[in-house]
Amino acid sequence: MTATGAIVEEGARGAPSGPWWWARRRSMVLDVALALVSALECLLEGVSFAHEVGMPGVLGGLIGVPVGAALVVRRRWPVAVVLISIATTPAEMGFLLGIVGLYSLAASEVPRRIIVVLSAASLLGTLVVTVARFHQDMAQDGYHPGSWSMLAISMLLALGLTAPPVLMGLYVGARRRLVESLRERADGLERELSLLADRAEERAVWARNEERTRIAREMHDVVAHRVSLMVVHAAALQAVALKDPEKASRNAGLVGDMGRQALTELREMLGVLRTSQVGASVAERPGEVEPQRLAEVAVAASARARAAAGGPGAPVASAVPGVPVAAVVDGGGPTLEGLEDLVGQSRDAGMAVELSVVGEERSYAPGVERTAYRVVQEALTNVHKHAPGAKAVVRLAHRDAEVALQVENGPSDGGGTDAGLPSGGNGLVGMRERVTALGGVFVSGPTDAGGFRVSAVIPDAVAA
């Protein structure tokens, strides 16, 4: 029995009504029926042989019954059945036993050399007995044919009794092994597909978690900065409302602009989350636009808000109807050219910010510039939150294969208005994730002077 047969047998023991159980029952019934027929045949032939040699007929019948019944174990011990058949060949007993035994031997997993040896022994035994029987019968009838003709007839008869069952058994055995091999291969493929399905499910879960994290990071970076500036301006407005109405009016206008920009960005990001509508729009125009990341939509919304407010840097309207402006904005997100505007927004909120650029200005990969912009943006937002009134310095260094940036602020001098901005602790985590995802280095921590420093070095993907 092969390994597959053992597995099937082991698995079928718990299901007595399965197809394997019925197949086994049919095989047992067939073996018992063949054994009964063979036992009856050997009984009659044993009695006949006993009379010929002068033995009691009962003794010949008693010998023939167990010989013929040996077919019951033909599947388990085919070699023993063939040996019994060869041993009883001189007695001309077991015609069915020899044919079925040779078939079972050839169809079994017995080594080929044993099959060849036993088949040749059975052929030789049948040939000798056939020649002797022909010679005896012809001598009784007074007919004396030639030796060669007698040998040729005996050989044909011996081959007719030996070759067909052996060839049929070899064919059935080969086909059975092929079916088992195909079944094992199918089982292996089924297990492999199951493993692949499990891995695909795990990757889908991981991708969903990564997408949630990315969306949360983008919403934090884009919206939190605007809202933080709104809160700072509102706190300043509250402080100067009675003393300087003109400055209060200017701060109120800034708060309104920031609020409109934050709402526009939030609306655009929530619209992107409705992937079915965006997917249908893109599917109607294949090849015109490519799916854009959420950050691209956010920066396009910010640029659109600045254009509506009359600010600089307004992008050109989308030339593709129904597609967000972010889908056609060159660069796919905020760039380092927007640092001046970013620093200017913090100056308008009352922060003393200095921007220092070292090295020859050049462009980097969109992901690199977007990440550098977000790091500076979040660092300035943290200064508004945790060090109101502190002076900040933004340093940007252009290098051959990387861009380095640093945002450092001093201690809060108490002169600024504390807006009471809440902090969820996600800013530094988000900055570190962005930088390390591009293979960069991110370091942050307090300074000896009582301030805080954020540093990042981001390799240029284009140069790499």
Side-chain angles (χ1 to χ4, degrees):
M1 182 178 294
T2 61
T4 304
I7 294 174
V8 173
E9 180 179 357
E10 188 69 22
R13 288 176 182 173
S17 60
W20 176 88
W21 186 81
W22 285 108
R24 186 177 181 183
R25 287 292 299 272
R26 288 195 298 269
S27 300
M28 292 177 60
V29 171
L30 177 61
D31 292 345
V32 171
L34 289 175
L36 290 176
V37 174
S38 178
L40 180 59
E41 177 199 355
C42 291
L43 172 64
L44 300 176
E45 292 173 347
V47 172
S48 176
F49 177 74
H51 289 161
E52 289 182 3
V53 298
M55 292 174 54
V58 177
L59 180 60
L62 292 178
I63 295 175
V65 171
V67 170
L71 279 181
V72 176
V73 295
R74 68 182 183 92
R75 299 178 188 272
R76 186 180 297 271
W77 297 305
V79 176
V81 173
V82 174
L83 289 176
I84 294 173
S85 172
I86 295 174
T88 58
T89 299
E92 300 181 17
M93 184 188 305
F95 174 79
L96 182 62
L97 177 68
I99 294 178
V100 178
L102 288 175
Y103 166 81
S104 302
L105 176 68
S108 65
E109 299 296 332
V110 176
R112 290 295 178 87
R113 60 180 181 274
I114 297 179
I115 297 176
V116 172
V117 170
L118 292 180
S119 299
S122 178
L123 175 64
L124 182 60
T126 304
L127 177 61
V128 171
V129 172
T130 304
V131 170
R133 173 59 68 178
F134 271 154
H135 187 273
Q136 181 181 357
D137 293 343
M138 295 303 172
Q140 290 178 357
D141 295 340
Y143 178 69
H144 300 283
S147 300
W148 288 106
S149 60
M150 184 184 306
L151 183 61
I153 296 173
S154 301
M155 179 61 71
L156 289 176
L157 183 59
L159 285 175
L161 294 176
T162 306
V166 173
L167 295 177
M168 181 62 69
L170 291 175
Y171 169 75
V172 172
R175 185 176 181 275
R176 184 182 302 161
R177 286 187 292 271
L178 176 61
V179 171
E180 290 179 357
S181 175
L182 293 176
R183 185 181 294 113
E184 290 178 357
R185 185 178 302 178
D187 293 341
L189 289 176
E190 185 176 356
R191 289 191 296 268
E192 185 175 352
L193 289 176
S194 178
L195 291 176
L196 289 176
D198 294 339
R199 291 177 183 175
E201 176 115 4
E202 293 175 0
R203 286 196 296 268
V205 173
W206 176 83
R208 285 195 296 268
N209 293 334
E210 285 293 317
E211 187 67 13
R212 292 191 187 100
T213 303
R214 186 179 67 83
I215 292 174
R217 185 167 57 240
E218 292 293 344
M219 294 187 70
H220 176 272
D221 292 344
V222 175
V223 180
H225 179 72
R226 304 260 179 229
V227 176
S228 299
L229 293 180
M230 289 174 58
V231 176
V232 171
H233 282 299
L237 175 62
Q238 185 179 9
V240 301
L242 299 177
K243 299 178 183 179
D244 192 347
E246 184 179 353
K247 186 176 181 180
S249 176
R250 186 168 59 253
N251 285 340
L254 291 175
V255 170
D257 292 340
M258 291 294 176
R260 283 188 292 271
Q261 293 176 15
L263 287 176
T264 302
E265 293 171 0
L266 182 60
R267 187 182 299 111
E268 290 290 344
M269 283 189 293
L270 293 178
V272 170
L273 293 180
R274 298 173 182 172
T275 55
S276 59
Q277 297 178 0
V278 176
S281 175
V282 175
E284 292 174 359
R285 297 174 302 279
E288 293 183 8
V289 294
E290 297 179 356
Q292 300 296 318
R293 296 178 62 86
L294 189 59
E296 302 170 4
V297 178
V299 72
S302 178
R304 184 185 298 175
R306 287 198 302 271
V316 181
S318 173
V320 184
V323 179
V325 178
V328 292
V329 172
D330 187 20
T335 63
L336 294 177
E337 295 179 356
L339 286 183
E340 287 284 353
D341 294 339
L342 184 64
V343 172
Q345 294 173 5
S346 294
R347 290 197 184 109
D348 293 340
M351 180 190 297
V353 188
E354 177 184 349
L355 176 62
S356 173
V357 180
V358 179
E360 183 179 356
E361 295 186 7
R362 63 187 183 89
S363 60
Y364 300 89
V368 174
E369 296 209 9
R370 181 168 57 246
T371 299
Y373 182 94
R374 294 301 188 202
V375 170
V376 176
Q377 182 186 55
E378 181 60 29
L380 293 178
T381 302
N382 288 339
V383 175
H384 284 293
K385 290 181 179 180
H386 306 292
K391 181 181 178 181
V393 179
V394 178
R395 299 182 179 90
L396 176 66
H398 296 278
R399 300 175 182 173
D400 292 338
E402 61 186 16
V403 57
L405 51 96
Q406 183 184 87
V407 180
E408 181 179 356
N409 65 276
S412 177
D413 58 2
T417 303
D418 188 359
L421 290 167
S423 176
N426 297 317
L428 293 177
V429 176
M431 286 189 283
R432 184 181 302 277
E433 289 177 351
R434 284 181 178 275
V435 174
T436 55
L438 297 177
V441 179
F442 179 83
V443 179
S444 63
T447 62
D448 296 336
F452 199 83
R453 181 187 297 119
V454 172
S455 303
V457 179
I458 309 172
D460 184 12
V462 175

Coordinates of all heavy atoms in Angstrom, one line a residue, residues 39-69:
A39 N -11.8 -22.5 -4.9 CA -11.8 -23.7 -4.0 C -12.6 -24.8 -4.5 O -12.2 -26.0 -4.5 CB -12.3 -23.2 -2.6
L40 N -13.7 -24.5 -5.2 CA -14.6 -25.5 -5.8 C -13.8 -26.2 -6.9 O -13.8 -27.4 -7.1 CB -15.9 -24.9 -6.3 CG -16.8 -25.9 -6.9 CD1 -17.2 -27.0 -6.0 CD2 -18.1 -25.1 -7.4
E41 N -13.1 -25.4 -7.8 CA -12.4 -25.9 -8.9 C -11.3 -26.8 -8.4 O -11.1 -27.9 -8.9 CB -11.8 -24.8 -9.7 CG -10.9 -25.3 -10.8 CD -10.0 -24.2 -11.4 OE1 -10.1 -23.0 -10.9 OE2 -9.1 -24.5 -12.2
C42 N -10.5 -26.3 -7.4 CA -9.4 -27.2 -6.9 C -9.9 -28.4 -6.2 O -9.2 -29.5 -6.2 CB -8.5 -26.3 -5.9 SG -7.6 -25.0 -6.7
L43 N -11.1 -28.4 -5.6 CA -11.7 -29.6 -5.0 C -11.9 -30.6 -6.0 O -11.5 -31.8 -5.9 CB -13.0 -29.2 -4.3 CG -13.9 -30.3 -3.8 CD1 -13.1 -31.1 -2.6 CD2 -15.2 -29.8 -3.3
L44 N -12.5 -30.2 -7.1 CA -12.8 -31.2 -8.2 C -11.5 -31.7 -8.8 O -11.3 -32.9 -9.1 CB -13.7 -30.6 -9.3 CG -15.1 -30.1 -8.8 CD1 -15.8 -29.4 -9.9 CD2 -15.9 -31.3 -8.2
E45 N -10.6 -30.8 -9.1 CA -9.3 -31.2 -9.7 C -8.5 -32.1 -8.7 O -7.7 -33.0 -9.2 CB -8.5 -30.0 -10.2 CG -9.2 -29.3 -11.3 CD -8.5 -27.9 -11.7 OE1 -7.7 -27.5 -10.8 OE2 -8.8 -27.4 -12.7
G46 N -8.6 -31.8 -7.5 CA -7.8 -32.6 -6.5 C -8.3 -34.0 -6.4 O -7.6 -34.9 -6.3
V47 N -9.6 -34.1 -6.5 CA -10.2 -35.5 -6.4 C -9.8 -36.2 -7.7 O -9.4 -37.4 -7.6 CB -11.8 -35.4 -6.3 CG1 -12.4 -36.8 -6.5 CG2 -12.2 -34.8 -5.0
S48 N -9.8 -35.6 -8.9 CA -9.4 -36.2 -10.1 C -7.9 -36.6 -10.1 O -7.6 -37.7 -10.5 CB -9.7 -35.3 -11.3 OG -9.2 -35.9 -12.5
F49 N -7.1 -35.8 -9.6 CA -5.7 -36.1 -9.5 C -5.4 -37.2 -8.5 O -4.5 -38.1 -8.7 CB -4.9 -34.8 -9.0 CG -3.4 -35.0 -8.9 CD1 -2.6 -35.2 -10.0 CD2 -2.9 -35.1 -7.6 CE1 -1.2 -35.4 -9.8 CE2 -1.5 -35.4 -7.4 CZ -0.7 -35.5 -8.5
A50 N -6.2 -37.2 -7.4 CA -6.0 -38.3 -6.4 C -6.3 -39.7 -7.0 O -5.7 -40.7 -6.7 CB -6.8 -38.0 -5.2
H51 N -7.4 -39.7 -7.8 CA -7.8 -41.0 -8.5 C -6.7 -41.4 -9.5 O -6.4 -42.6 -9.6 CB -9.1 -40.8 -9.2 CG -10.2 -40.7 -8.2 ND1 -11.5 -40.2 -8.6 CD2 -10.4 -41.0 -6.9 CE1 -12.3 -40.2 -7.6 NE2 -11.6 -40.7 -6.5
E52 N -6.1 -40.4 -10.2 CA -5.0 -40.8 -11.1 C -3.8 -41.4 -10.5 O -3.2 -42.3 -11.0 CB -4.6 -39.6 -12.0 CG -5.7 -39.1 -12.9 CD -5.3 -38.0 -13.8 OE1 -4.1 -37.5 -13.6 OE2 -6.1 -37.4 -14.6
V53 N -3.4 -40.9 -9.3 CA -2.2 -41.4 -8.7 C -2.5 -42.5 -7.7 O -1.6 -42.9 -7.0 CB -1.5 -40.2 -8.0 CG1 -1.0 -39.2 -9.1 CG2 -2.3 -39.6 -7.0
G54 N -3.7 -42.9 -7.5 CA -4.1 -43.9 -6.6 C -4.2 -43.5 -5.2 O -4.1 -44.3 -4.2
M55 N -4.6 -42.3 -5.0 CA -4.8 -41.7 -3.6 C -6.3 -41.6 -3.4 O -7.1 -41.6 -4.3 CB -4.2 -40.3 -3.5 CG -2.7 -40.3 -3.5 SD -2.0 -38.6 -3.5 CE -2.8 -38.0 -2.0
P56 N -6.7 -41.6 -2.1 CA -8.1 -41.4 -1.8 C -8.6 -40.1 -2.3 O -7.9 -39.0 -2.2 CB -8.2 -41.5 -0.3 CG -7.0 -42.2 0.2 CD -5.9 -41.9 -0.8
G57 N -9.8 -40.1 -2.9 CA -10.3 -38.8 -3.4 C -10.6 -37.8 -2.4 O -10.5 -36.6 -2.6
V58 N -10.9 -38.2 -1.2 CA -11.2 -37.3 -0.1 C -9.9 -36.5 0.2 O -10.0 -35.3 0.5 CB -11.7 -38.0 1.2 CG1 -11.9 -37.0 2.3 CG2 -13.0 -38.7 0.8
L59 N -8.8 -37.2 0.2 CA -7.5 -36.5 0.5 C -7.2 -35.5 -0.5 O -6.8 -34.3 -0.2 CB -6.4 -37.6 0.6 CG -5.0 -37.0 0.9 CD1 -5.0 -36.3 2.3 CD2 -4.0 -38.1 0.9
G60 N -7.4 -35.8 -1.8 CA -7.2 -34.8 -2.8 C -8.1 -33.6 -2.7 O -7.7 -32.4 -2.9
G61 N -9.4 -33.9 -2.3 CA -10.3 -32.7 -2.1 C -9.9 -31.9 -0.9 O -10.0 -30.6 -1.0
L62 N -9.4 -32.5 0.2 CA -9.0 -31.7 1.3 C -7.8 -30.9 1.0 O -7.6 -29.8 1.6 CB -8.7 -32.7 2.5 CG -9.9 -33.4 3.1 CD1 -9.4 -34.3 4.2 CD2 -10.9 -32.4 3.6
I63 N -6.9 -31.4 0.1 CA -5.8 -30.6 -0.3 C -6.2 -29.4 -1.2 O -5.7 -28.3 -1.2 CB -4.7 -31.4 -1.0 CG1 -4.2 -32.5 0.0 CG2 -3.6 -30.6 -1.5 CD1 -3.2 -33.5 -0.6
G64 N -7.2 -29.7 -2.1 CA -7.6 -28.7 -3.1 C -8.3 -27.5 -2.5 O -8.2 -26.4 -3.0
V65 N -9.1 -27.7 -1.5 CA -9.9 -26.6 -0.9 C -9.1 -25.5 -0.4 O -9.2 -24.3 -0.7 CB -10.9 -27.1 0.2 CG1 -11.6 -26.0 0.9 CG2 -12.0 -28.0 -0.5
P66 N -8.1 -25.7 0.5 CA -7.2 -24.6 1.0 C -6.4 -24.0 -0.1 O -6.1 -22.8 0.0 CB -6.4 -25.3 2.1 CG -6.4 -26.7 1.8 CD -7.7 -27.0 1.2
V67 N -6.0 -24.8 -1.1 CA -5.2 -24.3 -2.2 C -6.0 -23.2 -2.9 O -5.6 -22.1 -3.2 CB -4.7 -25.4 -3.1 CG1 -4.1 -24.8 -4.4 CG2 -3.7 -26.2 -2.4
G68 N -7.2 -23.6 -3.3 CA -8.1 -22.6 -4.0 C -8.5 -21.4 -3.2 O -8.6 -20.3 -3.7
A69 N -8.7 -21.6 -1.9 CA -9.1 -20.5 -1.0 C -8.0 -19.5 -0.8 O -8.2 -18.5 -0.2 CB -9.6 -21.1 0.3

